[in-house]
Amino acid sequence: MYTRRSFLQTSVAGTIGIFLPGKFPETSQTPILQGDFPVVISTWDHGLKANETAWKILSDSGRALDAVEQGVRVTEADPNVTSVGYGGFPDSSGHVTLDACIMDEKGNAGSVVYLSDIKHPVSVARMVMEKTSYVILAGRGALEFAESQGFHRENLMTPVARKAWKEWLESKKSYPVGKRNHDTIGMLALDSSGNLSGACTTSGIAFKMPGRVGDSPIIGAGLYVDNEVGAAAATGQGELILKIVGSFLIVELMRNGSTPEDACREAVLRINKKFSPGPDLQVGFIALTRKGQIGGFSLRKGFNYALCRNGKNELIDAKWLI
Ligand code: SD4
């Protein structure tokens, strides 16, 4: 089990303004906050592979923003993950449409919603953030923008996804989130300079109504990053997460002193109290503070997240409410 070893330390180096690797840059007047980082966490077991790529960047003193983008691209490209990127299950009309967003340490954000035919929506979201004055691009406009940035159209529907869609058409049963469908990847990273970034990417709820957009690409719902406090990301039934602006709520709770796990738990409690979600609905949150403390919590049993720190990459079962 992971044990945290973050602590507040006043040091001579801090008073003369020397920035030591692994410590936060602070002014000469303030104590250095020493934390346990770099660190990366991401939702679900597919986060393990994604973390490996992110860790290579972080352990080489790379930027958290690059780590989260490259990390979740691993999941986007994996045809066996049927809820993200290539291989993601389509909407009810048989179109694979993707939602993704990204935030950096300065609070900049970029997002694409309902993007089709592009394997790496997270990278398009980063381009929206870095190359435009906008935050969100949707649908056809997002696709045209992606192509203008050199992304190429690809068929994202795999034979497995097509078969599942055909079967669903025949049975028209609902498809429980987080059970057969292994869910969105949200990734949060804190780099060796003490900077936070996050990314979130999904094909959304399997066989969703055409046009439906969930929480994942919505800043504050599926993802939020505030370098002064921490970051949070969400997975599960997006409608529930949207209605409490889940990730923003968690960051604000941490700002007011909650631990990451308690903040995630409070978000889940709020969802449960307001909406009493049915037995097929799952919601899970992960959170990371600027000192490297981590936590997660879910509505129901079964949510896990991958943590990589000091080169050790492990899967943690989140505590749950019901
Ligand atoms: C959504 N939160 O679109 C995402 C879905 C998810 O399987 O996590 N999915 O609501």
Side-chain angles (χ1 to χ4, degrees):
M1 194 61 194
Y2 158 70
T3 51
R4 164 169 71 76
R5 54 187 173 82
S6 304
F7 57 93
L8 179 66
Q9 187 192 50
T10 307
S11 78
V12 175
T15 60
I16 58 174
I18 297 171
F19 175 54
L20 302 175
K23 295 186 177 183
F24 284 96
E26 296 282 339
T27 69
S28 56
Q29 270 71 43
T30 53
I32 284 181
L33 284 168
Q34 182 166 328
D36 200 355
F37 53 86
V39 59
V40 56
I41 56 172
S42 50
T43 53
W44 303 106
D45 54 358
H46 50 227
L48 285 169
K49 257 164 78 180
N51 278 4
E52 277 175 29
T53 293
W55 181 256
K56 279 186 199 134
I57 294 167
L58 293 171
S59 61
D60 201 25
S61 303
R63 189 175 170 201
L65 183 68
D66 295 324
V68 295
E69 181 194 4
Q70 295 304 319
V72 302
R73 279 174 64 106
V74 171
T75 319
E76 288 181 339
D78 187 342
N80 298 317
V81 179
T82 58
S83 46
V84 179
Y86 175 59
F89 284 174
D91 66 15
S92 61
S93 66
H95 294 105
V96 179
T97 61
L98 306 176
D99 299 332
C101 72
I102 194 161
M103 279 190 86
D104 73 8
E105 74 280 5
K106 298 186 188 104
N108 294 313
S111 163
V112 287
V113 306
Y114 221 67
L115 176 65
S116 60
D117 302 314
I118 301 288
K119 195 189 260 178
H120 290 299
V122 72
S123 296
V124 184
R126 182 168 176 176
M127 291 284 131
V128 173
M129 177 174 81
E130 294 182 340
K131 301 274 166 85
T132 79
S133 58
Y134 308 122
V135 171
I136 304 178
L137 287 180
R140 188 168 54 84
L143 178 58
E144 284 169 6
F145 171 72
E147 289 186 300
S148 77
Q149 299 300 310
F151 293 86
H152 300 293
R153 290 190 193 205
E154 294 173 62
N155 176 16
L156 302 180
M157 177 90 111
T158 59
V160 169
R162 182 176 300 282
K163 185 165 173 280
W165 173 59
K166 290 254 162 79
E167 284 171 6
W168 175 82
L169 277 181
E170 277 158 31
S171 71
K172 281 274 165 72
K173 285 193 180 133
S174 67
Y175 212 85
V177 178
K179 293 190 176 167
R180 284 185 292 170
N181 189 12
H182 283 283
D183 255 26
T184 297
I185 184 159
M187 177 180 276
L188 310 171
L190 178 61
D191 64 28
S192 54
S193 300
N195 284 320
L196 287 161
S197 290
C200 189
T201 175
T202 190
S203 50
I205 301 293
F207 320 128
K208 62 198 174 189
M209 184 187 288
R212 182 265 184 190
V213 172
D215 61 304
S216 304
I218 304 302
I219 304 302
L223 175 74
Y224 197 68
V225 176
D226 185 329
N227 217 41
E228 289 186 1
V229 178
T235 178
Q237 188 71 34
E239 285 70 17
L240 296 171
I241 299 158
L242 280 162
K243 287 188 279 192
I244 62 152
V245 199
S247 293
F248 181 73
L249 170 65
I250 290 167
V251 171
E252 292 307 299
L253 289 165
M254 295 194 298
R255 188 191 306 279
N256 291 325
S258 292
T259 65
E261 184 180 304
D262 284 350
C264 292
R265 184 168 177 276
E266 173 60 28
V268 168
L269 282 170
R270 214 171 271 198
I271 285 172
N272 193 47
K273 188 172 165 210
K274 280 183 182 235
F275 308 114
S276 308
D280 277 347
L281 299 184
Q282 171 67 303
V283 168
F285 293 102
I286 56 171
L288 168 65
T289 71
R290 66 187 287 260
K291 289 194 276 179
Q293 299 159 286
I294 63 109
F297 202 85
S298 60
L299 179 64
R300 298 180 193 286
K301 189 176 176 182
F303 173 53
N304 50 29
Y305 56 97
L307 162 69
C308 187
R309 189 191 315 258
N310 299 320
K312 185 176 171 213
N313 199 12
E314 62 184 325
L315 201 59
I316 295 178
D317 288 324
K319 290 186 192 152
W320 65 93
L321 185 64
I322 301 171

